[in-house]
Amino acid sequence: QVELAESGGGLVQPGGSLSLSCAASGSIPAFNGMGWYRQAPGKEREMVATATNGGWKNYADSVGGRFTISRESGWNTVYLQMNSLKPEDTAVYYCTLYDLGGAANYWGQGTQVTVSS
């Protein structure tokens, strides 16, 4: 069974930066890419950023230009650099593994990011 372990969340002031990381371990299935989602209280989980094994990257419009997703050369680790954070970025951030069909079928436990003064 694959395990996804996120780290790096916390409390930051508006305009600040945080970096999240996620490492996949265990019985890792063949996968197409890794990414980050987030879920704020009372809202649905939404895609934040995706990075495929082929190098394609995609971002939610709300974070474009502020967040950067990257993958470690061994491909089992994904990072999310978050700059110019806003209060509306407050959410639990989840790491995901995309299966060969492109579905986000594997999830980490999540890490809380709070942007507040």
Side-chain angles (χ1 to χ4, degrees):
Q1 184 174 355
V2 62
E3 292 186 0
L4 300 173
E6 304 104 334
S7 62
L11 173 65
V12 64
Q13 290 187 343
S17 299
L18 277 177
S19 181
L20 306 182
S21 63
C22 172
S25 62
S27 181
I28 303 172
F31 64 99
N32 194 32
M34 299 183 76
W36 292 94
Y37 280 64
R38 67 186 181 187
Q39 187 166 20
K43 294 188 176 181
E44 293 188 355
R45 192 173 295 191
E46 62 175 356
M47 190 279 294
V48 175
T50 294
T52 69
N53 293 350
W56 179 78
K57 297 179 181 179
N58 187 40
Y59 297 93
D61 290 343
S62 59
V63 306
R66 299 187 298 121
F67 290 11
T68 302
I69 189 171
S70 59
R71 301 272 302 277
E72 195 170 86
S73 60
W75 291 8
N76 288 356
T77 303
V78 64
Y79 304 94
L80 186 68
Q81 177 64 41
M82 304 184 293
N83 299 326
S84 302
L85 283 160
K86 304 175 181 179
E88 51 263 45
D89 294 318
T90 295
V92 177
Y93 284 69
Y94 296 91
C95 174
T96 190
L97 203 66
Y98 293 99
D99 64 22
L100 295 182
N105 271 336
Y106 306 95
W107 299 94
Q109 293 298 309
T111 185
Q112 176 70 47
V113 171
T114 302
V115 185
S116 175
S117 55

